[in-house]
Amino acid sequence: NAGVMQNPRHLVRRRGQEARLRCSPMKGHSHVYWYRQLPEEGLKFMVYLQKENIIDESGMPKERFSAEFPKEGPSILRIQQVVRGDSAAYFCASSPGGMDQPQHFGDGTRLSIL
Amino acid sequence: GDSVTQMEGPVTLSEEAFLTINCTYTATGYPSLFWYVQYPGEGLQLLLKATKADDKGSNKGFEATYRKETTSFHLEKGSVQVSDSAVYFCALSAKTPLVFGKGTRLSVIA
């Protein structure tokens, strides 16, 4: 019973490059959430997706950030033209239903911007 | 908007000591309340939850009671172990994305 799988675990990018973070939800889960954790801070919600649909993107910056959850394959969080302030741990969670269901988290992707 | 406030860390305890980590919340509606634990280098694991007032969530010796009158959900454990060293996050959801506190780092020394 694989849990939520995120890759890569660590990602290093130079300023101006693109970062792609992948998340495969738990088997049977069709709801995916992305959170960002800055050092010594709690997690902040970014975006909530169901298959092929963005349900809530209220926590995602309007520029440079995008997310998708295609019919086939993992969910992708994409950050274009990265800046130093994007350095953080990005966590994906999944649930079998809506937001009243417990969310199961992956181990995160730690993004470092040089 | 909804928010969660939990006690600042770090908290350092000796093995077998009693643990309390305070958590209070502000929310419209009737949120579900959660405690998550994060071990070094890992994601968050759900520790316990409560979905309505006076519910008590419990797991692995940890307990927390949903107190609507004081808008609190304090985490307690009667006797901590070294393996409990981690960061603990209080969170709420009112059929909304999870809102987290800043986390409390617990270190238990033998």
Side-chain angles (χ1 to χ4, degrees):
Chain A
N1 242 352
V4 177
M5 303 299 291
Q6 288 188 249
N7 66 82
R9 291 293 309 274
H10 300 275
L11 182 61
V12 179
R13 285 287 177 265
R14 296 188 180 280
R15 281 177 293 171
Q17 291 184 320
E18 177 180 288
R20 278 183 176 242
L21 288 63
R22 285 177 288 278
C23 169
S24 296
M26 281 183 74
K27 190 175 180 181
H29 288 192
S30 58
H31 297 246
V32 165
Y33 313 79
W34 285 94
Y35 295 85
R36 178 164 62 178
Q37 183 181 32
L38 295 170
E40 303 302 319
E41 294 280 331
L43 278 70
K44 295 283 196 289
F45 167 75
M46 298 182 74
V47 61
Y48 164 35
L49 309 104
Q50 265 187 283
K51 283 286 186 182
E52 300 185 275
N53 288 309
I54 295 175
I55 308 300
D56 182 348
E57 55 182 349
S58 58
M60 199 154 70
K62 295 284 184 285
E63 296 181 357
R64 302 189 298 108
F65 285 73
S66 62
E68 62 177 15
F69 189 15
K71 190 175 177 183
E72 302 290 337
S75 176
I76 306 283
L77 179 68
R78 184 177 174 213
I79 312 172
Q80 295 178 288
Q81 298 176 307
V82 295
V83 300
R84 287 251 169 87
D86 298 331
S87 295
Y90 292 82
F91 289 95
C92 171
S94 72
S95 68
M99 294 185 197
D100 56 345
Q101 304 279 316
Q103 295 176 24
H104 298 260
F105 283 78
D107 285 344
T109 294
R110 277 141 186 90
L111 175 64
S112 298
I113 309 303
L114 302 180
Chain B
D2 297 350
S3 66
V4 173
T5 302
Q6 56 182 110
M7 64 187 283
E8 303 247 342
V11 174
T12 302
L13 295 174
S14 297
E15 210 166 19
E16 299 183 4
F18 185 86
L19 169 71
T20 301
I21 301 178
N22 290 339
C23 171
T24 56
Y25 66 91
T26 303
T28 51
Y30 300 97
S32 294
L33 301 174
F34 306 85
W35 277 101
Y36 282 84
V37 58
Q38 184 179 31
Y39 298 102
E42 297 184 10
L44 276 67
Q45 299 174 26
L46 178 63
L47 182 59
L48 53 84
K49 66 172 184 173
T51 58
K52 60 183 189 299
D54 299 325
D55 266 3
K56 178 188 278 189
S58 60
N59 186 24
K60 300 181 182 178
F62 290 90
E63 291 183 341
T65 301
Y66 191 143
R67 301 279 188 211
K68 188 163 175 286
E69 63 277 12
T70 54
T71 61
S72 65
F73 193 54
H74 304 322
L75 182 68
E76 296 182 337
K77 186 175 185 183
S79 176
V80 293
Q81 305 300 313
V82 172
S83 57
D84 294 326
S85 298
V87 181
Y88 292 81
F89 292 94
C90 185
L92 68 82
S93 173
K95 295 196 177 177
T96 55
L98 284 167
V99 175
F100 287 89
K102 289 190 173 182
T104 302
R105 183 177 299 277
L106 170 66
S107 296
V108 180
I109 53 177

Short mmCIF file of all heavy atoms in Angstrom, two decimals, chain A residues 57-112:
data_model
loop_
_atom_site.label_atom_id
_atom_site.label_comp_id
_atom_site.label_asym_id
_atom_site.label_seq_id
_atom_site.Cartn_x
_atom_site.Cartn_y
_atom_site.Cartn_z
N GLU A 57 -7.44 27.52 -5.80
CA GLU A 57 -6.03 27.93 -5.95
C GLU A 57 -5.77 29.23 -5.20
O GLU A 57 -4.88 30.00 -5.55
CB GLU A 57 -5.64 28.05 -7.42
CG GLU A 57 -6.52 28.97 -8.22
CD GLU A 57 -6.12 29.01 -9.69
OE1 GLU A 57 -5.06 28.51 -10.06
OE2 GLU A 57 -6.91 29.60 -10.48
N SER A 58 -6.55 29.46 -4.16
CA SER A 58 -6.49 30.74 -3.47
C SER A 58 -5.16 30.99 -2.76
O SER A 58 -4.81 32.12 -2.47
CB SER A 58 -7.63 30.83 -2.45
OG SER A 58 -7.55 29.76 -1.52
N GLY A 59 -4.39 29.94 -2.48
CA GLY A 59 -3.12 30.11 -1.79
C GLY A 59 -1.92 30.14 -2.71
O GLY A 59 -0.78 30.25 -2.24
N MET A 60 -2.15 30.07 -3.99
CA MET A 60 -1.04 30.00 -4.93
C MET A 60 -0.74 31.38 -5.50
O MET A 60 -1.67 32.08 -5.92
CB MET A 60 -1.38 29.03 -6.05
CG MET A 60 -0.16 28.55 -6.81
SD MET A 60 -0.42 26.95 -7.55
CE MET A 60 -1.58 27.39 -8.82
N PRO A 61 0.53 31.78 -5.55
CA PRO A 61 0.85 33.07 -6.17
C PRO A 61 0.34 33.13 -7.60
O PRO A 61 0.34 32.13 -8.32
CB PRO A 61 2.39 33.09 -6.14
CG PRO A 61 2.76 32.18 -5.02
CD PRO A 61 1.72 31.11 -5.00
N LYS A 62 -0.10 34.29 -8.00
CA LYS A 62 -0.75 34.43 -9.32
C LYS A 62 0.25 34.30 -10.45
O LYS A 62 -0.11 33.88 -11.56
CB LYS A 62 -1.44 35.80 -9.42
CG LYS A 62 -2.59 35.98 -8.45
CD LYS A 62 -3.82 35.23 -8.92
CE LYS A 62 -5.03 35.46 -8.04
NZ LYS A 62 -4.98 34.75 -6.77
N GLU A 63 1.49 34.65 -10.18
CA GLU A 63 2.49 34.61 -11.24
C GLU A 63 3.50 33.50 -10.97
O GLU A 63 3.80 33.18 -9.84
CB GLU A 63 3.21 35.97 -11.34
CG GLU A 63 2.28 37.09 -11.73
CD GLU A 63 2.98 38.43 -11.85
OE1 GLU A 63 4.20 38.49 -11.57
OE2 GLU A 63 2.32 39.41 -12.22
N ARG A 64 3.98 32.92 -12.01
CA ARG A 64 5.07 31.93 -12.04
C ARG A 64 4.69 30.55 -11.53
O ARG A 64 5.38 29.59 -11.81
CB ARG A 64 6.31 32.43 -11.25
CG ARG A 64 6.87 33.74 -11.72
CD ARG A 64 8.20 34.07 -11.04
NE ARG A 64 8.06 34.20 -9.59
CZ ARG A 64 8.51 33.31 -8.71
NH1 ARG A 64 9.12 32.21 -9.11
NH2 ARG A 64 8.35 33.53 -7.41
N PHE A 65 3.61 30.42 -10.78
CA PHE A 65 3.21 29.13 -10.21
C PHE A 65 2.00 28.58 -10.97
O PHE A 65 1.07 29.32 -11.27
CB PHE A 65 2.83 29.28 -8.73
CG PHE A 65 4.00 29.44 -7.80
CD1 PHE A 65 4.70 30.65 -7.76
CD2 PHE A 65 4.40 28.41 -6.97
CE1 PHE A 65 5.78 30.81 -6.91
CE2 PHE A 65 5.48 28.57 -6.10
CZ PHE A 65 6.16 29.78 -6.08
N SER A 66 2.02 27.29 -11.23
CA SER A 66 0.87 26.63 -11.82
C SER A 66 0.84 25.19 -11.34
O SER A 66 1.85 24.63 -10.91
CB SER A 66 0.91 26.68 -13.35
OG SER A 66 2.05 25.99 -13.83
N ALA A 67 -0.35 24.58 -11.39
CA ALA A 67 -0.50 23.20 -10.95
C ALA A 67 -1.48 22.50 -11.86
O ALA A 67 -2.39 23.12 -12.41
CB ALA A 67 -0.99 23.14 -9.51
N GLU A 68 -1.28 21.20 -12.02
CA GLU A 68 -2.20 20.40 -12.81
C GLU A 68 -2.28 19.00 -12.21
O GLU A 68 -1.38 18.54 -11.51
CB GLU A 68 -1.74 20.32 -14.27
CG GLU A 68 -0.40 19.66 -14.47
CD GLU A 68 -0.02 19.55 -15.94
OE1 GLU A 68 -0.64 20.21 -16.77
OE2 GLU A 68 0.89 18.77 -16.24
N PHE A 69 -3.37 18.33 -12.51
CA PHE A 69 -3.58 16.93 -12.09
C PHE A 69 -4.29 16.25 -13.26
O PHE A 69 -5.52 16.20 -13.31
CB PHE A 69 -4.41 16.90 -10.82
CG PHE A 69 -4.51 15.54 -10.18
CD1 PHE A 69 -3.67 14.50 -10.50
CD2 PHE A 69 -5.48 15.31 -9.20
CE1 PHE A 69 -3.76 13.26 -9.89
CE2 PHE A 69 -5.58 14.07 -8.58
CZ PHE A 69 -4.73 13.05 -8.93
N PRO A 70 -3.51 15.76 -14.22
CA PRO A 70 -4.12 15.22 -15.44
C PRO A 70 -4.85 13.92 -15.18
O PRO A 70 -4.69 13.29 -14.13
CB PRO A 70 -2.91 15.00 -16.37
CG PRO A 70 -1.74 14.88 -15.44
CD PRO A 70 -2.04 15.71 -14.25
N LYS A 71 -5.62 13.51 -16.17
CA LYS A 71 -6.39 12.27 -16.06
C LYS A 71 -5.46 11.08 -15.80
O LYS A 71 -5.78 10.17 -15.02
CB LYS A 71 -7.17 12.05 -17.35
CG LYS A 71 -8.20 10.95 -17.28
CD LYS A 71 -9.01 10.89 -18.58
CE LYS A 71 -9.99 9.73 -18.53
NZ LYS A 71 -10.73 9.62 -19.81
N GLU A 72 -4.33 11.07 -16.45
CA GLU A 72 -3.33 10.02 -16.24
C GLU A 72 -2.06 10.66 -15.72
O GLU A 72 -1.65 11.70 -16.21
CB GLU A 72 -3.03 9.29 -17.57
CG GLU A 72 -4.25 8.66 -18.23
CD GLU A 72 -4.77 7.46 -17.46
OE1 GLU A 72 -3.97 6.87 -16.70
OE2 GLU A 72 -5.96 7.13 -17.61
N GLY A 73 -1.44 10.01 -14.76
CA GLY A 73 -0.15 10.52 -14.29
C GLY A 73 -0.26 11.35 -13.04
O GLY A 73 -1.36 11.61 -12.52
N PRO A 74 0.90 11.79 -12.55
CA PRO A 74 0.93 12.49 -11.26
C PRO A 74 0.47 13.93 -11.37
O PRO A 74 0.36 14.50 -12.46
CB PRO A 74 2.43 12.45 -10.90
CG PRO A 74 3.12 12.45 -12.22
CD PRO A 74 2.24 11.64 -13.13
N SER A 75 0.24 14.53 -10.24
CA SER A 75 0.02 15.97 -10.17
C SER A 75 1.38 16.66 -10.27
O SER A 75 2.38 16.16 -9.76
CB SER A 75 -0.67 16.33 -8.86
OG SER A 75 -0.80 17.73 -8.73
N ILE A 76 1.39 17.80 -10.94
CA ILE A 76 2.62 18.56 -11.13
C ILE A 76 2.43 19.96 -10.57
O ILE A 76 1.43 20.63 -10.88
CB ILE A 76 2.98 18.70 -12.63
CG1 ILE A 76 3.03 17.33 -13.31
CG2 ILE A 76 4.29 19.47 -12.80
CD1 ILE A 76 4.24 16.52 -13.04
N LEU A 77 3.39 20.40 -9.77
CA LEU A 77 3.46 21.80 -9.36
C LEU A 77 4.65 22.40 -10.11
O LEU A 77 5.77 21.89 -10.01
CB LEU A 77 3.66 21.94 -7.85
CG LEU A 77 3.79 23.36 -7.31
CD1 LEU A 77 2.47 24.12 -7.46
CD2 LEU A 77 4.22 23.36 -5.84
N ARG A 78 4.40 23.45 -10.84
CA ARG A 78 5.42 24.02 -11.70
C ARG A 78 5.71 25.45 -11.26
O ARG A 78 4.78 26.25 -11.05
CB ARG A 78 4.90 24.02 -13.14
CG ARG A 78 5.86 24.49 -14.20
CD ARG A 78 5.18 24.35 -15.55
NE ARG A 78 5.98 24.90 -16.61
CZ ARG A 78 5.47 25.49 -17.69
NH1 ARG A 78 4.17 25.57 -17.84
NH2 ARG A 78 6.27 25.95 -18.63
N ILE A 79 6.97 25.75 -11.10
CA ILE A 79 7.39 27.10 -10.73
C ILE A 79 8.33 27.60 -11.82
O ILE A 79 9.41 27.03 -12.04
CB ILE A 79 8.12 27.15 -9.37
CG1 ILE A 79 7.34 26.38 -8.30
CG2 ILE A 79 8.31 28.60 -8.93
CD1 ILE A 79 8.07 26.21 -6.98
N GLN A 80 7.92 28.65 -12.49
CA GLN A 80 8.75 29.21 -13.57
C GLN A 80 9.62 30.34 -13.02
O GLN A 80 9.25 31.02 -12.05
CB GLN A 80 7.86 29.75 -14.68
CG GLN A 80 7.06 28.66 -15.39
CD GLN A 80 6.15 29.24 -16.47
OE1 GLN A 80 5.16 29.88 -16.16
NE2 GLN A 80 6.50 29.02 -17.71
N GLN A 81 10.77 30.51 -13.64
CA GLN A 81 11.67 31.63 -13.30
C GLN A 81 11.86 31.75 -11.79
O GLN A 81 11.56 32.78 -11.19
CB GLN A 81 11.12 32.94 -13.89
CG GLN A 81 11.03 32.90 -15.40
CD GLN A 81 10.40 34.17 -15.97
OE1 GLN A 81 9.32 34.55 -15.55
NE2 GLN A 81 11.08 34.78 -16.91
N VAL A 82 12.38 30.69 -11.20
CA VAL A 82 12.47 30.63 -9.74
C VAL A 82 13.33 31.75 -9.20
O VAL A 82 14.28 32.21 -9.84
CB VAL A 82 13.00 29.26 -9.26
CG1 VAL A 82 12.03 28.15 -9.62
CG2 VAL A 82 14.39 28.98 -9.81
N VAL A 83 12.98 32.17 -7.97
CA VAL A 83 13.74 33.18 -7.24
C VAL A 83 14.12 32.58 -5.88
O VAL A 83 13.59 31.56 -5.46
CB VAL A 83 12.92 34.47 -7.05
CG1 VAL A 83 12.53 35.07 -8.39
CG2 VAL A 83 11.68 34.23 -6.20
N ARG A 84 15.05 33.26 -5.19
CA ARG A 84 15.55 32.73 -3.91
C ARG A 84 14.41 32.48 -2.93
O ARG A 84 14.44 31.51 -2.17
CB ARG A 84 16.56 33.71 -3.29
CG ARG A 84 17.89 33.73 -4.01
CD ARG A 84 18.97 33.06 -3.16
NE ARG A 84 20.18 32.86 -3.95
CZ ARG A 84 21.14 33.76 -4.09
NH1 ARG A 84 21.03 34.95 -3.48
NH2 ARG A 84 22.22 33.51 -4.82
N GLY A 85 13.41 33.34 -2.94
CA GLY A 85 12.30 33.20 -2.00
C GLY A 85 11.45 31.97 -2.22
O GLY A 85 10.60 31.65 -1.38
N ASP A 86 11.65 31.27 -3.35
CA ASP A 86 10.91 30.03 -3.59
C ASP A 86 11.51 28.85 -2.84
O ASP A 86 10.90 27.76 -2.81
CB ASP A 86 10.87 29.70 -5.09
CG ASP A 86 10.16 30.77 -5.91
OD1 ASP A 86 9.25 31.43 -5.35
OD2 ASP A 86 10.49 30.93 -7.10
N SER A 87 12.69 29.04 -2.25
CA SER A 87 13.31 27.96 -1.48
C SER A 87 12.42 27.58 -0.32
O SER A 87 12.08 28.42 0.52
CB SER A 87 14.68 28.40 -0.95
OG SER A 87 15.59 28.65 -1.99
N ALA A 88 12.03 26.33 -0.27
CA ALA A 88 11.09 25.85 0.75
C ALA A 88 10.93 24.35 0.58
O ALA A 88 11.46 23.76 -0.36
CB ALA A 88 9.73 26.54 0.60
N ALA A 89 10.17 23.76 1.50
CA ALA A 89 9.74 22.38 1.32
C ALA A 89 8.31 22.41 0.81
O ALA A 89 7.46 23.14 1.35
CB ALA A 89 9.82 21.61 2.63
N TYR A 90 8.05 21.65 -0.24
CA TYR A 90 6.72 21.61 -0.84
C TYR A 90 6.14 20.21 -0.58
O TYR A 90 6.74 19.21 -0.96
CB TYR A 90 6.80 21.89 -2.34
CG TYR A 90 7.20 23.32 -2.62
CD1 TYR A 90 8.54 23.70 -2.60
CD2 TYR A 90 6.24 24.29 -2.89
CE1 TYR A 90 8.92 25.01 -2.83
CE2 TYR A 90 6.60 25.61 -3.13
CZ TYR A 90 7.94 25.96 -3.09
OH TYR A 90 8.31 27.26 -3.33
N PHE A 91 4.99 20.21 0.07
CA PHE A 91 4.35 18.95 0.43
C PHE A 91 3.06 18.77 -0.35
O PHE A 91 2.29 19.70 -0.56
CB PHE A 91 4.03 18.92 1.93
CG PHE A 91 5.25 18.78 2.79
CD1 PHE A 91 5.85 19.90 3.33
CD2 PHE A 91 5.78 17.53 3.05
CE1 PHE A 91 6.99 19.79 4.12
CE2 PHE A 91 6.91 17.41 3.85
CZ PHE A 91 7.51 18.53 4.37
N CYS A 92 2.85 17.54 -0.74
CA CYS A 92 1.62 17.13 -1.39
C CYS A 92 0.85 16.24 -0.42
O CYS A 92 1.44 15.46 0.34
CB CYS A 92 1.97 16.37 -2.66
SG CYS A 92 0.60 15.56 -3.47
N ALA A 93 -0.46 16.37 -0.44
CA ALA A 93 -1.32 15.49 0.35
C ALA A 93 -2.44 15.00 -0.54
O ALA A 93 -2.79 15.65 -1.54
CB ALA A 93 -1.88 16.22 1.56
N SER A 94 -3.00 13.86 -0.21
CA SER A 94 -4.15 13.36 -0.96
C SER A 94 -5.23 12.85 -0.01
O SER A 94 -4.95 12.52 1.15
CB SER A 94 -3.73 12.25 -1.95
OG SER A 94 -3.41 11.05 -1.26
N SER A 95 -6.45 12.83 -0.51
CA SER A 95 -7.55 12.28 0.26
C SER A 95 -8.51 11.58 -0.70
O SER A 95 -8.53 11.89 -1.89
CB SER A 95 -8.27 13.39 1.04
OG SER A 95 -8.94 14.27 0.17
N PRO A 96 -9.32 10.65 -0.17
CA PRO A 96 -10.24 9.93 -1.06
C PRO A 96 -11.45 10.77 -1.47
O PRO A 96 -12.09 10.50 -2.47
CB PRO A 96 -10.69 8.74 -0.20
CG PRO A 96 -10.49 9.19 1.20
CD PRO A 96 -9.34 10.14 1.19
N GLY A 97 -11.78 11.77 -0.65
CA GLY A 97 -12.93 12.60 -0.95
C GLY A 97 -12.56 14.05 -0.73
O GLY A 97 -11.42 14.45 -0.85
N GLY A 98 -13.55 14.85 -0.35
CA GLY A 98 -13.33 16.28 -0.20
C GLY A 98 -12.60 16.63 1.07
O GLY A 98 -11.99 15.79 1.72
N MET A 99 -12.71 17.91 1.44
CA MET A 99 -11.88 18.43 2.52
C MET A 99 -12.31 17.94 3.90
O MET A 99 -11.62 18.22 4.87
CB MET A 99 -11.90 19.95 2.48
CG MET A 99 -11.24 20.50 1.24
SD MET A 99 -11.15 22.29 1.34
CE MET A 99 -10.85 22.71 -0.37
N ASP A 100 -13.40 17.22 3.99
CA ASP A 100 -13.76 16.67 5.29
C ASP A 100 -13.12 15.30 5.52
O ASP A 100 -13.34 14.68 6.56
CB ASP A 100 -15.28 16.57 5.43
CG ASP A 100 -15.91 15.76 4.30
OD1 ASP A 100 -15.23 15.53 3.28
OD2 ASP A 100 -17.08 15.36 4.43
N GLN A 101 -12.33 14.85 4.57
CA GLN A 101 -11.61 13.59 4.73
C GLN A 101 -10.19 13.86 5.19
O GLN A 101 -9.57 14.84 4.76
CB GLN A 101 -11.54 12.87 3.38
CG GLN A 101 -12.89 12.62 2.73
CD GLN A 101 -13.56 11.41 3.32
OE1 GLN A 101 -12.93 10.40 3.52
NE2 GLN A 101 -14.84 11.53 3.61
N PRO A 102 -9.61 12.98 6.04
CA PRO A 102 -8.22 13.19 6.46
C PRO A 102 -7.28 13.17 5.27
O PRO A 102 -7.46 12.40 4.32
CB PRO A 102 -7.95 11.99 7.38
CG PRO A 102 -9.29 11.54 7.83
CD PRO A 102 -10.23 11.83 6.69
N GLN A 103 -6.27 14.03 5.32
CA GLN A 103 -5.29 14.11 4.25
C GLN A 103 -4.03 13.35 4.63
O GLN A 103 -3.57 13.43 5.76
CB GLN A 103 -4.95 15.58 3.97
CG GLN A 103 -6.15 16.36 3.44
CD GLN A 103 -5.85 17.83 3.25
OE1 GLN A 103 -4.70 18.23 3.08
NE2 GLN A 103 -6.89 18.65 3.29
N HIS A 104 -3.49 12.63 3.67
CA HIS A 104 -2.26 11.86 3.86
C HIS A 104 -1.14 12.56 3.10
O HIS A 104 -1.30 12.85 1.91
CB HIS A 104 -2.45 10.43 3.34
CG HIS A 104 -3.52 9.69 4.07
ND1 HIS A 104 -3.24 8.78 5.07
CD2 HIS A 104 -4.86 9.75 3.97
CE1 HIS A 104 -4.37 8.30 5.55
NE2 HIS A 104 -5.37 8.87 4.90
N PHE A 105 -0.02 12.79 3.78
CA PHE A 105 1.05 13.60 3.22
C PHE A 105 2.20 12.76 2.67
O PHE A 105 2.52 11.69 3.22
CB PHE A 105 1.60 14.54 4.29
CG PHE A 105 0.73 15.72 4.56
CD1 PHE A 105 -0.40 15.61 5.35
CD2 PHE A 105 1.03 16.96 4.01
CE1 PHE A 105 -1.23 16.70 5.58
CE2 PHE A 105 0.22 18.06 4.24
CZ PHE A 105 -0.91 17.94 5.02
N GLY A 106 2.82 13.29 1.61
CA GLY A 106 4.09 12.76 1.14
C GLY A 106 5.24 13.31 1.97
O GLY A 106 5.04 14.13 2.87
N ASP A 107 6.46 12.84 1.64
CA ASP A 107 7.65 13.26 2.39
C ASP A 107 8.19 14.61 1.93
O ASP A 107 9.15 15.11 2.49
CB ASP A 107 8.75 12.21 2.28
CG ASP A 107 8.45 10.99 3.14
OD1 ASP A 107 7.58 11.10 4.04
OD2 ASP A 107 9.06 9.93 2.93
N GLY A 108 7.60 15.17 0.87
CA GLY A 108 7.98 16.52 0.47
C GLY A 108 9.11 16.58 -0.53
O GLY A 108 9.89 15.64 -0.69
N THR A 109 9.19 17.71 -1.21
CA THR A 109 10.32 18.05 -2.07
C THR A 109 10.96 19.30 -1.50
O THR A 109 10.28 20.31 -1.30
CB THR A 109 9.89 18.33 -3.52
OG1 THR A 109 9.38 17.14 -4.11
CG2 THR A 109 11.06 18.85 -4.35
N ARG A 110 12.26 19.20 -1.21
CA ARG A 110 12.98 20.35 -0.68
C ARG A 110 13.66 21.06 -1.84
O ARG A 110 14.56 20.52 -2.46
CB ARG A 110 13.96 19.91 0.38
CG ARG A 110 13.27 19.76 1.73
CD ARG A 110 13.77 18.56 2.54
NE ARG A 110 12.96 18.40 3.75
CZ ARG A 110 11.85 17.64 3.80
NH1 ARG A 110 11.45 16.98 2.76
NH2 ARG A 110 11.16 17.55 4.92
N LEU A 111 13.16 22.27 -2.11
CA LEU A 111 13.64 23.05 -3.25
C LEU A 111 14.63 24.09 -2.76
O LEU A 111 14.32 24.86 -1.85
CB LEU A 111 12.46 23.74 -3.95
CG LEU A 111 12.80 24.69 -5.09
CD1 LEU A 111 13.45 23.94 -6.25
CD2 LEU A 111 11.54 25.43 -5.56
N SER A 112 15.82 24.08 -3.35
CA SER A 112 16.85 25.07 -3.01
C SER A 112 17.19 25.86 -4.26
O SER A 112 17.42 25.28 -5.33
CB SER A 112 18.12 24.38 -2.50
OG SER A 112 17.84 23.65 -1.33
#
